[in-house]
Amino acid sequence: MYRYDEFDATFVAERVKQFRGQVERRLAGELGEDEFRPLRLQNGLYLQLHAYMLRIAVPYGVLSSKQLRKLAFIARRYDKGFGHFTTRQNIQFNWPELVDVPDILDHLASVEMHAIQTSGNCIRNVTADHFAGVAPDEIEDPRVWAEIIRQWSTLHPEFAFLPRKFKIAVTGASHDRAAVKFHDIGLKMVKNEAGEIGFEVIVGGGMGRTPAIGPTIRGFLPKQHLLSYLEAVLRVYNLLGRRDNLYKARIKILVAATGTQEFARLVEEEWARIKDGALTLPAEEVARIERYFQPPAYEKLPAISTELETAKRGDATFARWLKANTHAHKVDGYSIVTISLKPEGGAPGDASADQMDLIADLADEYSFKELRVTHHQNLVLPNVRKQDLYALWQRLAAVRLANPNVGFLTDIIACPGLDYCNLANARSIPIAQRLSRRFNDFQRLEEIGELRLNISGCINACGHHHAGNIGILGVDKQGEEFYQITLGGSSKDDSSIGKIIGPAFAIDQVADAVENIVNVYLEKRTGQDERFLETFRRVGIDPFKEKVYGNSQARRPAAE
Amino acid sequence: MTVQVVTANRLRDGVIVWLTADLGWSEEFTESRPLRDEAEAKAALEAAGVAVKARLVVGPYLAEVDETPEGLKPNSARERIRASRLPTITPDQGSWTGRIEG
Ligand code: SF4
């Protein structure tokens, strides 16, 4: 993985020093909260419901075992023994004290991490396919390009005060695992007719109050022009994006208002001016970055492991986990393993310090010291020998980390919600907990098949509810929590935005409503290979509505 | 007018605090000073403003509460969670376990 060069190391160290001074000045009264707030936000420090919250960047979701161990140390020493992995492939600590944050940042810097670009109206920490570099369907490793974007965007002076925050996602695979159409800019590596590799550039997607699936503004961008083209998009946005209205400031609003074609024209016009300038990527520089992402020393192994086949036949629980939580690897004899952070009754994405330490050990032993954070709030060991899977599974199962639910209904995405978040309308985690208990029958989960259920505690949509096959959104009714359900969202290649099923539900009604929705699907599907989304698209929302609300007005919740 | 209280976060550690009868700050919601009219609310906010200047708290605001025979009760989901000083997540499950014994 990428290692800091001298420039990275110096600027991160300087930032920590600066922030230490800023905290001191705040505590000494030289800075008021109005002056201090933007400074702490630029260092990932929020003030939430119960305490401060520190959001740490995990660039494109790639984490080393050493870094994870450091996160465990921070969780134990400065927090309350756990951390929360987010849908932006980052990690949040929910309880740091302001006075400790400079020390925490020092610890992070010692393992080449920081909390910059995790807040504010800048280009945020770039995200990528969590199977980057190991997926068999990959055209090219997107980490190289994500790293190039990271270097270009970090502290980019021209884009430090954009109209609003700005999120970029990259995938190098043919199947979209990075939700590229739901980002301000989504980059998908593609091959053109001449067989050259470049980027499809998608602009103006997003979640939030006004969800949008980003349109493609350029079908093929040669790789060496990536930065100049991104710069052109950002310039058009920086100039024309609205600054008068917070809710209309994202680039998706600008693209929709301008029209895709016209927006693309403006970008091309700007690009024509800066193309072939200083931002053109020299081949040597790309090669230098590429070297950081060389494949590890894979062994030459047979595609089929006899040890694995034997273990699978002898242990049905293991076989179930194997099916759900491991994925094809590009190298024979290896697997990608997803460690589910969604135990029955747990908070999605939470990991205790002990779990983090253990997972770091497992990464050392089984996966070339490397891990990934997924936007589904799970962790990934990207390089596990098939013959090691049974031993690995046993170690995970011993500490409740082997829930075989990846991709199933209980692999729930949930934002922190009103349990932690200052902006929340309603709690998310307790809904996830109830659903994970209600649907904790693995035979049933397998019967239901692939189903993505996402929960956000407010319209900011950090829990990606718009993109859930079933989405749940917390709404506020005179200070009390209600939940709106949407159906039919997807962030995959067949991206779509969920449709609201009807009036909102009280907290106690949500699990029943989901159960009803699932039952309608099971009843209506043509067979087990018709996924929830396909059935929904075929039959429409009405059968679900009828079942959920029935004819009886008495069952109909009051809230609209 | 409904009864109100003043609440804020402590600057040093972010902990939720409530303005008390003697214009100090407590981590206990039940020790909040009830504010029964505009004048009381205004005076309490002024006291909170002084605490902001003194770098004790950040972001003070008025929160509505219910006055019951058992004492003051927060009257929204948000303020109930704040008053409990903890997330509502079941303490015997998941990673929360590590935190709860303290
Ligand atoms: S969706 Fe809303 S409640 Fe959830 S984390 Fe984002 S801002 Fe907070």
Side-chain angles (χ1 to χ4, degrees), chain A residues 89-104:
Chain A
Q89 300 180 307
N90 292 327
I91 183 168
Q92 296 180 178
F93 287 114
N94 290 308
W95 307 92
E97 296 188 8
L98 174 62
V99 287
D100 288 334
V101 173
D103 289 345
I104 298 176

Side-chain angles (χ1 to χ4, degrees), chain A residues 49-50 67 104 121 134 159 204 225 241 244 250 254 264 308 317 326 357 431 434 454 475 497 522:
Chain A
L49 208 58
H50 300 280
Q67 291 172 326
I104 298 176
N121 295 339
V134 291
F159 306 132
H225 295 306
D244 60 322
R250 295 291 288 266
L254 177 64
L308 175 62
T317 319
T326 67
D357 272 337
I431 299 282
R434 284 173 197 220
N454 296 350
V475 290
I497 294 162
L522 293 175

